[in-house]
Amino acid sequence: MRCYIPGDAEKLLSAINGSLEHLRPWIPWAQDQPQEIDWTAKFIRQFRGQFDLGQDAVYGIFDPQEQAIIGGTGLHNRVGKDAREIGYWINVGHINQGYATEAVCALIRSGFEIEGLTRLEIHCDPENTPSNNIPHKLGFSHEQTIKNSSTDRDGRFRDENIWTLSSTQYAASPIRQTPIKAYDFLGRPIPLTA
């Protein structure tokens, strides 16, 4: 996982366009797809700028050679002080292989051990069973279901599950042993506390 760079635009466009039918029922930004390469480059510039300024952390999930985008994820600054929301999507050609779970584990460790957060959240549609399975199996608590919190592409109201994991819950979690490597802006290793 790493932040997107401009050279990823064609790979990202291909991953999104090839997964639209898979993503549209669940991902709000997928409603406005497909787009052209210029739109994708602008999207990446926005991600990169926010990442570099510490405003948001959006990552691509790549194959080991960084030739294909497996999906995307992020630690988003939209749920309050000392908290982040984890979001994720997987390219349809890579679903059911554990990539989202692996990415979420890495973000959990990063959020609590590097960012010093006190709370992480995952928001997903109650009908999206694969997305709900991830926080469930990683020890998040189902805190609430917000009724009619958004609309789908046809204007129908949708509910939203809110899953939470606190720093206290994390302290007793086996996720702390998940092997990850983290690097700062200059590429230097960041030590983890666990």
Side-chain angles (χ1 to χ4, degrees):
M1 291 183 340
R2 63 167 171 74
C3 186
Y4 294 103
I5 58 173
D8 296 327
E10 286 185 29
K11 290 180 265 196
L12 180 57
L13 183 65
S14 176
I16 290 171
N17 286 347
S19 299
L20 284 178
E21 294 310 308
H22 168 68
L23 297 174
R24 278 189 179 135
W26 318 117
I27 308 286
W29 55 257
Q31 309 310 312
D32 299 325
Q33 302 296 327
Q35 294 288 344
E36 301 298 326
I37 192 72
D38 291 339
W39 178 91
T40 307
K42 183 179 176 182
F43 208 34
I44 287 174
R45 288 185 72 198
Q46 178 183 342
F47 290 156
R48 185 79 229 185
Q50 292 172 337
F51 187 88
D52 289 346
L53 293 171
Q55 297 170 342
D56 201 16
V58 176
Y59 300 96
I61 304 169
F62 295 84
D63 70 336
Q65 295 76 34
E66 297 187 23
Q67 297 303 305
I69 293 180
I70 292 170
T73 191
L75 273 173
H76 304 294
N77 295 327
R78 52 185 174 220
V79 292
K81 185 178 179 332
D82 298 326
R84 300 286 184 279
E85 178 187 341
I86 296 176
Y88 44 88
W89 66 274
I90 298 296
N91 178 330
V92 70
H94 299 280
I95 59 173
N96 299 319
Q97 297 180 44
Y99 293 117
T101 301
E102 184 178 347
V104 171
C105 284
L107 292 178
I108 290 169
R109 286 202 65 192
S110 176
F112 288 123
E113 296 181 40
I114 296 170
E115 300 291 326
L117 302 175
T118 59
R119 174 184 172 98
L120 289 170
E121 296 184 7
I122 293 176
H123 299 199
C124 48
D125 189 300
E127 295 179 22
N128 188 343
T129 301
S131 284
N132 281 283
N133 286 342
I134 292 169
H136 177 73
K137 71 181 163 187
L138 294 178
F140 282 69
S141 299
H142 178 245
E143 189 164 293
Q144 64 179 322
T145 299
I146 300 174
K147 300 293 186 186
N148 301 322
S149 69
S150 63
T151 56
D152 65 15
R153 70 188 208 189
D154 298 319
R156 292 182 298 248
F157 284 103
R158 303 298 294 256
D159 298 343
E160 183 175 47
N161 280 344
I162 310 295
W163 295 87
T164 62
L165 185 70
S166 70
S167 56
T168 304
Q169 290 170 300
Y170 175 70
S173 171
I175 295 170
R176 296 179 70 225
Q177 305 310 313
T178 301
I180 68 166
K181 294 178 184 176
Y183 300 90
D184 70 10
F185 181 73
L186 298 174
R188 299 174 297 201
I190 298 172
L192 298 169
T193 58

